[in-house]
Amino acid sequence: MKVKLQNIKDKEKIFKATRCKKRSPPKVQQGTRGGGMGPGLSPVDRRTLLACSLILAAALGQMNFTGDQVLRVLAKNEKQLSLLRDLEGLKPQKVDFWRGPARPSLPVDMRVPFSELKDVKAYLESHGLAYSIMIKDIQVLLDEEREAMAKSRRLERSASSFSYSSYHTLEEIYSWIDNFVTEHSNIVSKIQIGHSFENRSILVLKFSTGGSQRRAIWIDTGIHSREWITHATGIWMAKKIVSEYGKGHILTNVLNTMDIFMEIVSNPDGFAFTHSMNRLWRKNKSNRPGIFCIGVDLNRNWRSGFGGNGSNDNPCSETYHGPYPHSEPEVAAIVDFITAHGKIKALISIHSYSQMLMYPYGHLLEPVSNQEELFSLAKDAVQALYKVHGIKYIYGSISTTLYVASGITVDWAYDSGIKYSFSFELRDTGRYGFLLPAAQIIPTAQETWMAIRTIMKHTLNHPY
């Protein structure tokens, strides 16, 4: 199978496009969660579908994940967690942790390439680590996602509209931002706060009813590029803000006193790459001389606790913290903007997945000074979220609820004087992971909005 490479410019893309062709397609079983082709398909039909999937991916220059599985392991103790952590250090890397080894009470989810499945499963079995298969074949979900996006795009073009219940590319989101700002110029403006490593614009929406030097709330989504549900949630919430102002008293009171800043695509290079090449890319796209691996985890690049536990000094790691604090232009742009503004009173950074609402610290186990207030506020926000669709979230400090993580956004924000700093992990708990179907965009956004509105109201009523 020959692949046209005329539109693939860099060596990394050529390498990855070539590598994905060499993989042998697995036998796909019927009726398995996330992996069945459905009843009535003959083995020949299944092989044809797999071949077509490979050809389409190669033609588009996209990595193919046929046969890759997401395994879930429930570690019984710290020794078993250590055995799982050892998997990350293998070279070449054999697993991609979607939910990393944290504590025995939390499941560990990891994507295992088809070529490594036999070895990884043997490793788990030999150490008595029980596992289950959460996603039987990742490519099946990717094909469904791509097909849904193509269908939505056709409908949007025919109706000259924007679908808030679909996933979109970077170009589509930036075009929507321009139209959105034009349509709601009385309350929304666009600010360019910097450029990414690959020189893409870093854009922020400002919601304001006027005045200067006002207190403000910051919301960012998509700092990890594969977490598409976060961008989609941000877009829906932007629309909700303009539609609710003047009608809902809580949001109206907030905007009459404070401004809201929203950065929907915090990692534009990585996000573009999830569409053009690797849907499961997490980091940004920075590269440095002499280092083969590309990208820095933008949520490990902040000054607070930089380089500590929960981050990695290996450039090939998914949690690589970068060479020094704020080395990445995407992080530096936020730091410079928030520091220059000086009156950001709440910061909300939105991730997926796991269904959690957390506050500092991530890099320390010690509670922050207003721990009781943050715990109570998180509880109220989670209750408001639950009332919408009955989705349960857990809450608490990052280090005690999830895991120790150093150099993260909310720790920097808190240490910079932003008293109300929160991090969300949106739907789900692992059935789809980062590949949440578009049908869940609006329900996810609706419930998340109620939690964020709760935090906004508290920030408004407790000035400092």
Side-chain angles (χ1 to χ4, degrees):
M1 189 191 306
K2 292 184 178 179
V3 184
K4 287 186 178 181
L5 299 175
Q6 58 194 24
N7 295 323
I8 302 178
K9 297 180 180 178
D10 57 67
K11 291 181 181 178
E12 179 202 16
K13 290 184 180 180
I14 295 173
F15 170 75
K16 288 182 176 176
T18 304
R19 183 176 62 180
C20 75
K21 293 187 298 171
K22 293 181 180 177
R23 309 168 70 178
S24 302
K27 295 178 182 178
V28 179
Q29 301 174 355
Q30 295 186 25
T32 53
R33 188 164 68 171
M37 288 293 189
L41 289 175
S42 70
V44 174
D45 290 331
R46 291 189 211 112
R47 286 197 295 270
T48 302
L49 282 172
L50 287 169
C52 290
S53 175
L54 285 165
I55 292 169
L56 177 62
L60 295 175
Q62 293 166 334
M63 286 184 68
N64 190 282
F65 295 90
T66 299
D68 286 18
Q69 295 184 349
V70 175
L71 306 182
R72 168 163 289 184
V73 181
L74 289 170
K76 297 176 182 177
N77 50 48
E78 285 297 327
K79 181 181 178 181
Q80 290 194 341
L81 283 174
S82 180
L83 289 167
L84 290 171
R85 293 187 186 104
D86 289 343
L87 281 172
E88 187 179 23
L90 296 176
K91 293 182 175 60
Q93 198 165 336
K94 293 181 181 291
V95 302
D96 166 21
F97 283 116
W98 284 18
R99 296 180 70 174
R103 63 188 76 252
S105 60
L106 293 175
V108 175
D109 295 346
M110 53 187 175
R111 177 182 66 84
V112 184
F114 172 66
S115 59
E116 307 292 346
L117 270 175
K118 185 177 179 180
D119 288 348
V120 170
K121 288 181 177 179
Y123 176 89
L124 296 175
E125 290 163 4
S126 69
H127 289 93
L129 291 160
Y131 65 87
S132 58
I133 299 173
M134 295 299 290
I135 300 177
K136 182 74 175 177
D137 187 339
I138 285 177
Q139 191 61 42
V140 173
L141 296 184
L142 294 180
D143 290 344
E144 291 173 354
E145 182 179 72
R146 195 173 296 131
E147 182 180 341
M149 285 183 68
K151 181 179 180 181
S152 174
R153 192 172 290 120
R154 290 193 296 270
L155 291 172
E156 287 181 30
R157 286 172 179 167
S158 65
S160 297
S161 62
F162 183 90
S163 172
Y164 289 87
S165 59
S166 303
Y167 292 119
H168 295 88
T169 65
L170 179 70
E171 292 76 16
E172 290 166 345
I173 292 174
Y174 276 15
S175 176
W176 168 81
I177 285 175
D178 288 338
N179 294 332
F180 182 72
V181 169
T182 300
E183 186 177 348
H184 304 284
S185 57
N186 61 316
I187 196 173
V188 188
S189 58
K190 178 181 77 173
I191 305 170
Q192 180 174 300
I193 65 170
H195 288 87
S196 66
F197 183 86
E198 294 180 340
N199 205 37
R200 290 181 173 89
S201 296
I202 300 174
L203 304 178
V204 170
L205 291 175
K206 178 183 180 181
F207 300 83
S208 180
T209 55
S212 60
Q213 299 296 308
R214 301 211 304 180
R215 293 184 299 137
I217 295 163
W218 171 277
I219 302 170
D220 64 71
T221 63
I223 202 166
H224 288 147
S225 49
R226 63 187 176 188
E227 298 167 7
W228 282 12
I229 185 59
T230 69
H231 310 85
T233 296
I235 291 168
W236 186 91
M237 290 195 301
K239 180 175 180 288
K240 182 68 173 177
I241 290 170
V242 298
S243 64
E244 191 161 313
Y245 178 71
K247 299 174 183 176
H249 72 276
I250 294 176
L251 188 276
T252 301
N253 290 341
V254 169
L255 267 187
N256 281 341
T257 307
M258 308 179 74
D259 295 337
I260 300 171
F261 294 98
M262 184 180 292
E263 183 182 18
I264 291 172
V265 187
S266 302
N267 179 5
D269 297 346
F271 184 60
F273 195 62
T274 62
H275 287 274
S276 67
M277 177 61 72
N278 181 353
R279 169 64 179 86
L280 300 176
W281 189 261
R282 167 185 168 98
K283 302 186 284 185
N284 74 348
K285 290 301 302 303
S286 66
N287 60 74
R288 288 172 174 82
I291 298 178
F292 174 76
C293 291
I294 289 175
V296 168
D297 182 345
L298 297 179
N299 200 36
R300 299 295 186 276
N301 189 237
W302 303 72
R303 190 175 307 282
S304 292
F306 178 83
N309 292 335
S311 66
N312 203 306
D313 59 5
N314 176 6
C316 297
S317 169
E318 292 288 353
T319 54
Y320 174 52
H321 51 56
Y324 54 88
H326 310 166
S327 61
E328 305 312 292
E330 298 87 355
V331 171
I334 301 173
V335 169
D336 291 346
F337 179 83
I338 290 178
T339 302
H341 186 280
K343 290 194 174 184
I344 304 293
K345 299 300 180 181
L347 179 143
I348 301 164
S349 189
I350 301 180
H351 295 256
S352 74
Y353 63 96
S354 287
Q355 294 174 196
M356 298 176 175
L357 176 55
M358 298 170 290
Y359 48 82
Y361 281 120
H363 74 287
L364 296 173
L365 291 173
E366 290 76 15
V368 294
S369 60
N370 62 329
Q371 142 81 17
E372 290 185 8
E373 181 186 17
L374 295 181
F375 181 86
S376 176
L377 178 52
K379 180 180 179 181
D380 291 345
V382 164
Q383 287 177 342
L385 183 152
Y386 175 79
K387 289 178 182 178
V388 182
H389 295 294
I391 297 297
K392 294 181 179 180
Y393 271 50
I394 61 176
Y395 55 93
S397 74
I398 295 166
S399 60
T400 60
T401 305
L402 187 54
Y403 46 55
V404 172
S406 302
I408 64 176
T409 312
V410 294
D411 281 9
W412 172 85
Y414 189 86
D415 285 345
S416 298
I418 302 176
K419 189 176 175 180
Y420 304 116
S421 295
F422 289 92
S423 178
F424 279 82
E425 294 283 352
L426 303 184
R427 295 190 188 188
D428 57 7
T429 56
R431 169 64 182 89
Y432 295 100
F434 300 122
L435 306 178
L436 197 70
Q440 294 194 44
I441 290 174
I442 289 180
T444 300
Q446 288 171 334
E447 66 199 15
T448 305
W449 168 250
M450 294 307 292
I452 288 179
R453 197 182 71 169
T454 301
I455 296 170
M456 287 181 172
K457 180 181 178 181
H458 185 90
T459 304
L460 174 67
N461 294 336
H462 295 82
Y464 65 94

